[in-house]
Amino acid sequence: MCVCLNECLIMLGTRFRPLSFEVPKPLFPVAGVPMLQHHIEACAKVPNMKEILLIGFYQPNEELNRFLLNAQQEFKISIRYLQEYAALGTGGGIYHFRDQIVSGSPEAFFVLNADVCSAFPLTEMLSFQKEHGEPNSFVILGTTANRKQSMNYGCIVENEESNEVLHYVEKPSTFVSDIINCGIYLFNPDIFQHIGAVFQKNQQDMLLLYTDTEEEPTNGWHRAEAIRLEQDIFTALAGQGKLYVYKTLSFWSQIKSAGSAIYASRLYLNQYHTTHPERLASNKEGGPKITGNVYIHPTANIDPTAVLGPNVSIGTGVTIGAGVRVRESIILHGANLQDHCCVLNSIVGWDSTIGKWARVEGTPSDPNPNDPYAKIDSETLFREGKLTPSITILGCNVTIPSEVIILNSIVLPHKDLNRGFKNQIIL
Ligand SMILES: Nc1nc2c(ncn2[C@@H]2O[C@H](COP(=O)(O)OP(=O)(O)O[C@H]3O[C@H](CO)[C@@H](O)[C@H](O)[C@@H]3O)[C@@H](O)[C@H]2O)c(=O)[nH]1
């Protein structure tokens, strides 16, 4: 068994900026550990898991290599990064590296989108496949969304008795189904026949285009190899007795924007009660006051009069002064929160400093708590020409002076502010 984590490690979108300037999004800490570590931990628990492959087109750097090395040692499993020569799409990447994937003759393998947070019910998907599906069928993890939000995802119509996928539409413009694709799949090597058929067809189309125009297609190979699992494969496989959906009731969310990283942190911190209770801070003599779920890196230095939580993650080497209040926030390594400052619904970047009595506050973008099927909206930065109120993000090495308020703002790295700001992007 092996796993492919599908991720273009480079951040093309702007929704994670300015944080993705410093660290590729999949390595951004969520509930105290890099986003991808949650995937790796879940994969390493699956019986007979042999190898984990990360696929992306990001040029590997020291940080990624260090992460891979540490994760291999911690989880005692081979983890390799395979770099695409260009963005080949969610299906093109695994097809390009198919020889590596099938080299250990895996019976089955998982493909996981890197930008999701989940309880990753992988073993359950395997059992479901054995019990429900045809022997060589593929399984998509599905969850229920509300009608309106379902259209932001891949939508699945199933046969309610057999759970076969009868119809699949990626991000439809009108309602199709409230069962959505979680971006977590169980495949076997047969999937490459289906992707291969699309590749051949793309190549033929390219050749026809070439003959028609008598111009050499630029980047032709890349265009034939760029294949999307969702639109190119699932849509065609639906109704063929090959594709099944396993619906989960456990937590799941996309992590597209920085706001959704705070929400994902909350979900993972909550899961730590069963998976990693040692990662949750507790009230101890001489320690800060903890309310709700909080992660504190052992190297952080926190004044006992500080109050932290719920949903707070404190990174390595963070310093927190007397009387500081932090809730619903991620504080990244080396940040310094001086006495009596207050941080709410915010991400404080690496090595940033917040002055005494300053208030850094954002507006959460949480899903509607009264709707059990609501998902977090991937908010747009602007609506009707105005910055939408969102969490506050301080890029790395930002300095906030004492006694000012920073509200619903995004501050780019290395800024030394001299006053308060509200609803602004500070470049
Ligand atoms: N290796 C690689 N990975 C890629 C590429 N393009 C996208 N990815 C990765 O593939 C995942 C899916 O990204 P998108 O293609 O942006 O799709 P999406 O809008 O997130 O929607 C997908 O996920 C939803 C669940 O989160 C699904 O509901 C939806 O159907 C679809 O699978 C992400 O982890 C993304 O980084 C690529 O060219 N190469």
Side-chain angles (χ1 to χ4, degrees):
M1 173 111 31
C2 84
V3 177
C4 306
L5 292 172
N6 229 341
E7 178 54 63
C8 43
L9 280 158
I10 204 150
M11 269 307 293
L12 292 177
T14 52
R15 284 182 281 176
F16 228 79
R17 284 187 188 161
L19 301 162
S20 50
F21 289 151
E22 309 304 320
V23 64
K25 179 176 141 184
L27 297 187
F28 184 82
V30 176
V33 302
M35 207 185 276
L36 270 184
Q37 187 166 322
H38 297 284
H39 296 63
I40 293 175
E41 279 186 29
C43 295
K45 281 189 195 147
V46 177
N48 296 326
M49 184 64 73
K50 292 281 178 299
E51 181 170 39
I52 297 177
L53 305 171
L54 313 183
I55 301 179
F57 61 93
Y58 172 77
Q59 180 71 31
N61 63 6
E62 212 192 303
E63 179 150 25
L64 177 65
N65 293 335
R66 205 177 329 118
F67 168 73
L68 295 179
L69 205 69
N70 290 343
Q72 293 206 71
Q73 284 171 354
E74 187 172 347
F75 300 104
K76 305 198 172 30
I77 188 163
S78 152
I79 308 177
R80 284 186 295 141
Y81 176 62
L82 305 177
Q83 187 186 1
E84 289 160 49
Y85 63 91
L88 296 177
T90 46
I94 60 168
Y95 185 67
H96 185 74
F97 291 113
R98 62 194 180 283
D99 290 348
Q100 309 246 19
I101 296 170
V102 300
S103 68
S105 311
E107 214 176 284
F109 63 97
F110 288 97
V111 173
L112 317 179
N113 286 358
D115 63 353
V116 297
C117 113
S118 169
F120 297 111
L122 306 180
T123 314
E124 291 88 328
M125 286 173 78
L126 273 170
S127 315
F128 168 85
Q129 201 274 346
K130 291 213 169 79
E131 285 158 22
H132 281 71
E134 293 298 305
N136 280 325
S137 59
F138 315 123
V139 180
I140 302 182
L141 184 70
T143 190
T144 309
N146 66 35
R147 276 182 82 91
K148 186 162 166 258
Q149 289 180 322
S150 65
M151 295 184 282
N152 301 327
Y153 300 89
C155 292
I156 297 165
V157 179
E158 64 163 349
N159 173 328
E160 283 179 15
E161 266 157 36
S162 65
N163 303 113
E164 189 201 335
V165 176
L166 299 177
H167 192 45
Y168 182 95
V169 192
E170 182 64 20
K171 304 191 182 92
S173 46
T174 54
F175 178 75
V176 170
S177 163
D178 57 3
I179 306 171
I180 60 163
N181 169 10
C182 294
I184 298 173
Y185 316 116
L186 173 59
F187 293 141
N188 61 62
D190 280 6
I191 193 72
F192 296 123
Q193 287 171 22
H194 300 278
I195 308 181
V198 173
F199 172 63
Q200 304 274 323
K201 185 174 175 306
N202 286 357
Q203 247 186 343
Q204 272 160 14
D205 291 350
M206 291 298 308
L207 280 174
L208 280 178
L209 192 74
Y210 175 44
T211 330
D212 285 354
T213 60
E214 293 192 358
E215 268 174 40
E216 192 168 347
T218 51
N219 227 349
W221 184 264
H222 166 206
R223 277 171 52 191
E225 262 209 319
I227 298 165
R228 301 155 306 176
L229 273 179
E230 301 82 2
Q231 293 93 328
D232 300 326
I233 308 295
F234 295 158
T235 307
L237 280 179
Q240 307 289 316
K242 279 295 270 177
L243 193 58
Y244 288 77
V245 58
Y246 171 69
K247 286 173 290 174
T248 181
L249 295 173
S250 56
F251 73 88
W252 179 87
S253 175
Q254 268 190 334
I255 314 182
K256 289 285 182 198
S257 61
S260 56
I262 295 188
Y263 178 61
S265 248
R266 188 190 310 157
L267 299 175
Y268 279 135
L269 285 172
N270 202 28
Q271 191 197 30
Y272 284 169
H273 284 284
T274 46
T275 56
H276 288 285
E278 76 288 355
R279 287 189 189 161
L280 291 171
S282 54
N283 284 300
K284 285 199 198 102
E285 181 102 23
K289 181 164 170 27
I290 305 293
T291 59
N293 297 333
V294 173
Y295 167 86
I296 303 177
H297 193 273
T299 56
N301 183 2
I302 302 176
D303 190 279
T305 58
V307 182
L308 310 177
N311 186 20
V312 167
S313 308
I314 309 280
T316 31
V318 167
T319 307
I320 297 193
V324 168
R325 177 74 177 105
V326 187
R327 58 178 292 161
E328 298 288 341
S329 296
I330 298 176
I331 315 295
L332 297 166
H333 74 74
N336 179 4
L337 276 49
Q338 294 181 346
D339 297 354
H340 305 290
C341 71
C342 175
V343 179
L344 310 172
N345 302 307
S346 300
I347 298 181
V348 177
W350 302 270
D351 300 321
S352 287
T353 300
I354 301 180
K356 292 181 180 171
W357 297 100
R359 184 179 179 94
V360 173
E361 182 170 0
T363 301
S365 43
D366 292 355
N368 177 358
N370 300 318
D371 174 353
Y373 300 123
K375 303 280 170 280
I376 194 158
D377 274 320
S378 356
E379 72 271 24
T380 48
L381 220 45
F382 296 96
R383 197 171 297 136
E384 290 160 11
K386 286 193 183 144
L387 186 64
T388 43
S390 69
I391 64 155
T392 284
I393 306 172
L394 308 184
C396 89
N397 193 27
V398 164
T399 306
I400 307 291
S402 297
E403 298 175 29
V404 301
I405 299 181
I406 308 291
L407 187 65
N408 300 338
S409 294
I410 297 174
V411 186
L412 265 74
H414 311 292
K415 290 274 139 197
D416 197 349
L417 304 188
N418 54 10
R419 64 177 177 90
F421 288 91
K422 188 177 163 192
N423 302 330
Q424 288 200 38
I425 299 182
I426 301 149
L427 299 169

